[in-house]
Amino acid sequence: MRKPFVAGNWKMNTDIASALALARDIADRIGRLDGIDVAVCPPFVYLHAVADALSSSNIALGAQNVFFQPNGAFTGEISAAMLKDLSCTYVIIGHSERRHVIGETDDLINKKISAAINNGLLPIFCVGELLEQRKAGKTSAVVTEQVKKGLAGLCTERIQAVTIAYEPVWAIGTGINATPEQAQEVHAMIRDLLACLYDKTIASNLRIQYGGSAKPDNTAQLMTQPDVDGLLVGGASLKADDFASMVETAVKIKTGSN
Ligand code: PGA
């Protein structure tokens, strides 16, 4: 039985006051919920303050990126050990905005995943196709290649630290979410691929989140899909009400409780 997992990706939003207010609001509403893992991923510069605001809740802290080197002359970069220092549990790696706006490659993403795990962080590893790739019938090929390259060299033990987030690029921030059937199809394909790359137990234990215009009004339909184990939420995670209601819906559907 996979524990549902909902994470909020705040992207490059909030300021110190609104980040703290949002974290406190989320902690007040859903900070004691059982049966689900919840994380928020604020900008690097607010991690420390948000960690304090979440300290008496069950909400975990995540970062939005990490560099693979342990330390040294890498101006502007942040290491996995630094994120651990700030109480991060999770780190988003390979988000489509980093792939397509910043130009991150599968090879770089693979190094980041490895460095994160080596330092005790749990990667949320994002994959997803562009609209033209979907239209050309290449979704499965694109996602397969991203998964294979991103996880290259990760042994059976280390892969268990990973959550995969399927985020079709055309659905991110557009208001157009993948249909529950489209999400389920790709999630099932990823799980089959994991069974080939590793084994059936790993494939059935690993959590796969959906991301891309997930909102309160489509959460139930998405979470009802058997291979959708949670959500990576962008825009809607900036509103405590919306995020809390999505988390409550997710746990209700997957566990029938709360
Ligand atoms: P969105 O972003 O929910 O605003 O579409 C999702 C993401 O980028 O993780």
Side-chain angles (χ1 to χ4, degrees):
M1 185 61 190
R2 296 181 294 272
K3 193 175 186 189
F5 175 27
V6 175
N9 173 10
W10 294 2
K11 307 194 181 184
M12 198 173 74
N13 291 301
T14 68
D15 53 24
I16 186 68
S18 60
L20 280 174
L22 180 57
R24 287 187 189 123
D25 215 355
I26 290 170
D28 282 350
R29 280 157 209 248
I30 49 168
R32 296 262 143 250
L33 217 50
D34 286 326
I36 188 163
D37 289 332
V38 181
V40 295
C41 305
F44 282 137
V45 288
Y46 305 136
L47 283 170
H48 194 54
V50 169
D52 271 356
L54 297 176
S55 62
S56 56
S57 78
N58 291 339
I59 316 269
L61 190 66
Q64 299 174 19
N65 184 27
V66 64
F67 196 54
F68 66 89
Q69 294 285 4
N71 50 49
F74 303 103
T75 302
E77 295 295 339
I78 304 287
S79 74
M82 291 171 181
L83 296 179
K84 276 301 277 187
D85 246 1
L86 290 186
S87 319
C88 285
T89 302
Y90 298 96
V91 58
I92 298 171
I93 297 178
H95 190 277
S96 82
E97 285 143 22
R98 298 211 58 87
R99 289 177 187 267
H100 299 294
V101 182
I102 315 287
E104 289 196 5
T105 62
D106 289 314
D107 179 51
L108 179 61
I109 290 163
N110 175 251
K111 288 184 176 136
K112 291 181 174 197
I113 292 174
S114 199
I117 297 171
N118 290 347
N119 284 278
L121 291 169
L122 305 176
I124 300 172
F125 165 39
C126 304
V127 296
E129 80 288 359
L130 298 163
L131 184 57
E132 55 266 34
Q133 292 168 328
R134 174 162 282 267
K135 283 186 175 158
K138 292 185 179 153
T139 299
S140 169
V142 168
V143 172
T144 297
E145 180 166 319
Q146 289 173 338
V147 170
K148 278 188 177 168
K149 289 186 170 170
L151 300 181
L154 274 195
C155 65
T156 310
E157 202 189 310
R158 289 159 83 227
I159 178 73
Q160 298 182 45
V162 175
T163 295
I164 294 180
Y166 168 58
E167 300 205 298
V169 180
W170 47 271
I172 296 178
T174 57
I176 307 163
N177 61 292
T179 65
E181 295 73 26
Q182 285 172 324
Q184 169 58 26
E185 189 183 14
V186 179
H187 283 226
M189 186 277 289
I190 294 172
R191 212 175 291 289
D192 286 348
L193 176 62
L194 291 166
C196 289
L197 296 174
Y198 295 93
D199 60 44
K200 279 203 166 143
T201 310
I202 285 184
S204 72
N205 287 342
L206 200 131
R207 294 185 292 193
I208 307 175
Q209 295 175 321
Y210 168 79
S213 298
K215 299 181 282 284
D217 64 3
N218 56 29
T219 294
Q221 280 184 306
L222 287 161
M223 291 303 300
T224 306
Q225 302 303 311
D227 287 295
V228 176
D229 306 313
L231 302 168
L232 181 54
V233 186
S237 73
L238 294 169
K239 293 182 201 136
D241 274 351
D242 285 1
F243 188 66
S245 91
M246 293 168 80
V247 168
E248 281 161 353
T249 303
V251 72
K252 200 166 168 186
I253 286 177
K254 291 299 181 186
T255 68
S257 65
N258 289 288

